[in-house]
Amino acid sequence: MSKAAASSLSRLTRPSSLALALTNARSPLLRFVSKRSISTHQPWRPSSALEEHVAREARPISLRQLTFFGRNLTLERLLDSANYVRTELPTRLAHRIRDMQRLPYVVVTNPNISKVYETYYDSFEQLRKSPEIKTSEENDKFCQLIKGMLNNNLSVIPDLAIGVLECRDFVPAAELDNFLKTMLKSRISRRTIAEQHVALTETFNSPFFYPHSEGNGVDHTNGVDFVGEVFLKCNAREVVEKCGKLCQDLSRQANGPDSPVPEIIIEGHPEATFPYIPSHLEYIIGELLRNSIQATIERHGSDPKTKLPPINVLICQTQQFVIFRISDQGGGIPQDIFPHIWSFSKGPRRQKQLQNISLVPTMSATLQELFHTSTGEGVGKDGKRRRGTSLAPLSHRPPNLRLGLGLPLSRVYAEYWAGSLKLHSLASYGVDTILQINKLGNNLERLVERKNLDGI
């Protein structure tokens, strides 16, 4: 190893000034850390393999690239996709491992953060040791490895959220928020390319799929509207109606089958269609409608005879964007909470968040996880991919459990494909939330926060 690399590793493994200050046994901070934060194993692992992957740059993709590649699916392309995933996932994991190594010692030794670190490192080691994939059978085995990793990583979101909340007193909240946003965007990116490849493999292995040689002008999607996980004809009205019905059902599940729920009125350009990954959009719309329904019921009462004011969803489209504006009359957001709605670590309800998140050991961050049953995965009897997510049956949470993650995580999802999410609260009246989606699919994924571009 070169002297420069050795020096870099020395800096990474050297305890920060904060950690050195903790050596005073009389420090109340030390007592806190010793009771709740010190892991039983050493999370620092100097590794030349890690250094090699950190030195590489991630290769971002766009929805258009995913679609173009999958529409012309052949065995050769499927194997190219497998080897892209095989080399790209460990690179992206290596950068996030390095981000965690740069954290103050008191943060990285938090048991929840340390658990994520170990999970990522184990996944990194398995992926970097995977040999080149040359046959369909080798690809099938690789997909099983990917599925296992996706399942094992379902605890990452609650673990990170709890760890960040527990360490809020030791590190500025803005730094923790940037760290968590980068970790979550990277998580979305890895799951996107991994699930896309698994979905392409399922399509290729389907008895209804007939691959052709490249260059013959044949549409290899066989008329199916899905290309892997990308839905080519995502319809704005259908998304709102589906999410709205599910959220209304959730409300009745939580408050009683006869409890009133607000009507959802759709206006504007509801027939707008665009390519998108449904699970991403459904999570955002579902969280926004869920918040509006809950706020409306809480403000106007749950008397079965009460006529609740409706929730209005205005859909607009331009050449480049589809815009959703969700307006409710739920009384607005309390002034003590509003400044912190986009933060994962700030706000007056930290202790309640910790209690609630601890009740959710796994999170797939999909709309389907709110239910005990799932639409399932894979290819249906008609040869068409179902619109569920492969992670839906693996995690769920109670419908009335507030985690404080919905809005900030929804913004992370929106910004991942170069969209945006904004919120305007009208005190004592209601909330307007504006979601902007890029409908062309030509923007590269945003892997990190702008302040952390050196960590791509």
Side-chain angles (χ1 to χ4, degrees):
M1 183 182 299
S2 66
K3 291 183 178 180
S7 176
S8 175
L9 287 173
S10 175
R11 288 195 300 272
L12 288 172
T13 57
R14 186 184 306 138
S16 66
S17 58
L18 177 57
L20 292 174
L22 292 176
T23 56
N24 182 353
R26 292 173 294 179
S27 167
L29 187 55
L30 176 63
R31 290 196 295 272
F32 176 86
V33 173
S34 63
K35 290 180 180 179
R36 304 188 59 183
S37 299
I38 295 299
S39 177
T40 58
H41 47 268
Q42 177 57 262
W44 305 110
R45 298 183 187 177
S47 165
S48 59
L50 184 66
E51 292 299 316
E52 292 173 4
H53 284 80
V54 169
R56 302 174 186 174
E57 291 187 358
R59 294 174 288 171
I61 43 86
S62 67
L63 282 171
R64 179 174 293 181
Q65 289 172 332
L66 291 178
T67 302
F68 177 79
F69 192 89
R71 285 183 77 98
N72 299 282
L73 188 60
T74 63
L75 177 58
E76 182 180 359
R77 285 200 167 211
L78 184 66
L79 297 180
D80 285 343
S81 172
N83 285 301
Y84 167 77
V85 174
R86 179 182 64 87
T87 57
E88 188 69 11
L89 286 182
T91 297
R92 298 188 183 197
L93 278 169
H95 287 291
R96 302 292 73 81
I97 292 170
R98 177 50 45 85
D99 283 347
M100 284 187 276
Q101 289 178 342
R102 288 171 175 156
L103 291 169
Y105 188 75
V106 70
V107 178
V108 79
T109 52
N110 176 279
N112 295 287
I113 302 295
S114 183
K115 178 184 174 183
V116 174
Y117 183 96
E118 293 295 333
T119 299
Y120 279 13
Y121 212 107
D122 289 342
S123 297
F124 168 76
E125 286 291 305
Q126 292 184 65
L127 287 164
R128 78 172 183 85
K129 294 177 182 178
S130 297
E132 182 181 359
I133 300 164
K134 299 179 179 180
T135 67
S136 178
E137 291 75 18
E138 290 175 354
N139 176 61
D140 291 341
K141 292 181 181 178
F142 180 66
C143 286
Q144 293 303 315
L145 173 66
I146 291 176
K147 288 181 179 180
M149 289 182 178
L150 291 174
N151 297 345
N152 292 336
N153 290 344
L154 282 174
S155 65
V156 164
I157 292 180
D159 286 339
L160 283 173
I162 292 175
V164 164
L165 285 169
E166 288 180 339
C167 296
R168 189 179 69 166
D169 295 335
F170 312 136
V171 179
E175 293 183 18
L176 289 176
D177 280 338
N178 281 331
F179 163 74
L180 191 49
K181 288 176 185 177
T182 296
M183 295 292 288
L184 292 175
K185 281 187 180 180
S186 181
R187 176 187 181 275
I188 293 171
S189 78
R190 296 192 306 275
R191 299 191 87 87
T192 294
I193 63 176
E195 290 190 322
Q196 176 70 2
H197 177 67
V198 170
L200 291 178
T201 298
E202 290 172 350
T203 299
F204 188 84
N205 291 336
S206 166
F208 300 94
F209 180 79
Y210 302 99
H212 302 269
S213 61
E214 292 193 48
N216 63 0
V218 176
D219 182 357
H220 298 164
T221 60
N222 299 313
V224 179
D225 292 334
F226 268 96
V227 178
E229 290 292 312
V230 182
F231 188 40
L232 303 179
K233 299 178 182 179
C234 197
N235 181 274
R237 177 195 290 275
E238 289 180 0
V239 172
V240 174
E241 287 180 343
K242 175 183 177 181
C243 295
K245 183 179 185 305
L246 293 180
C247 291
Q248 288 172 331
D249 291 343
L250 277 174
S251 177
R252 295 187 182 99
Q253 179 183 330
N255 302 318
D258 298 325
S259 61
V261 294
E263 178 186 6
I264 298 174
I265 300 175
I266 303 174
E267 303 170 308
H269 303 140
E271 302 309 320
T273 59
F274 48 96
Y276 215 76
I277 296 179
S279 61
H280 292 191
L281 183 59
E282 289 171 358
Y283 177 81
I284 302 171
I285 297 294
E287 285 291 345
L288 299 181
L289 289 176
R290 190 167 178 251
N291 288 345
S292 290
I293 289 173
Q294 196 164 6
T296 300
I297 292 174
E298 289 176 356
R299 178 168 176 80
H300 297 276
S302 55
D303 187 336
K305 299 180 181 180
T306 301
K307 176 65 175 178
L308 300 177
I311 296 170
N312 296 92
V313 180
L314 176 64
I315 302 172
C316 305
Q317 69 170 327
T318 65
Q319 284 188 326
Q320 185 174 356
F321 300 105
V322 175
I323 302 167
F324 300 80
R325 188 185 73 185
I326 300 176
S327 305
D328 65 56
Q329 299 178 40
I333 298 175
Q335 292 186 354
D336 64 328
I337 297 176
F338 185 76
H340 313 298
I341 58 173
W342 304 118
S343 173
F344 291 95
S345 58
K346 291 188 291 186
R349 299 179 179 177
R350 172 194 176 193
Q351 195 58 39
K352 186 63 176 177
Q353 282 181 261
L354 278 170
Q355 294 173 359
N356 288 349
I357 297 174
S358 65
L359 299 176
V360 184
T362 62
M363 276 187 68
S364 63
T366 62
L367 183 67
Q368 287 83 1
E369 77 178 346
L370 295 173
F371 296 85
H372 294 268
T373 58
S374 163
T375 56
E377 62 168 316
V379 180
K381 293 181 179 180
D382 56 0
K384 295 186 177 182
R385 282 191 51 75
R386 297 193 183 102
R387 295 185 57 177
T389 167
S390 62
L391 301 176
L394 301 174
S395 60
H396 63 266
R397 74 177 191 261
N400 57 350
L401 191 66
R402 292 184 174 180
L403 306 180
L405 301 176
L407 280 178
L409 189 52
S410 294
R411 175 178 267 189
V412 170
Y413 266 110
E415 293 178 347
Y416 174 67
W417 293 118
S420 64
L421 181 62
K422 300 179 180 179
L423 187 147
H424 303 278
S425 178
L426 306 176
S428 300
Y429 184 78
V431 168
D432 277 357
T433 310
I434 300 175
L435 170 65
Q436 180 172 282
I437 297 296
N438 187 311
K439 74 175 187 179
L440 301 181
N442 59 347
N443 289 84
L444 293 176
E445 52 182 341
R446 293 183 178 177
L447 302 181
V448 296
E449 293 299 291
R450 293 189 177 276
K451 291 181 180 179
N452 298 331
L453 288 179
D454 61 326
I456 291 181

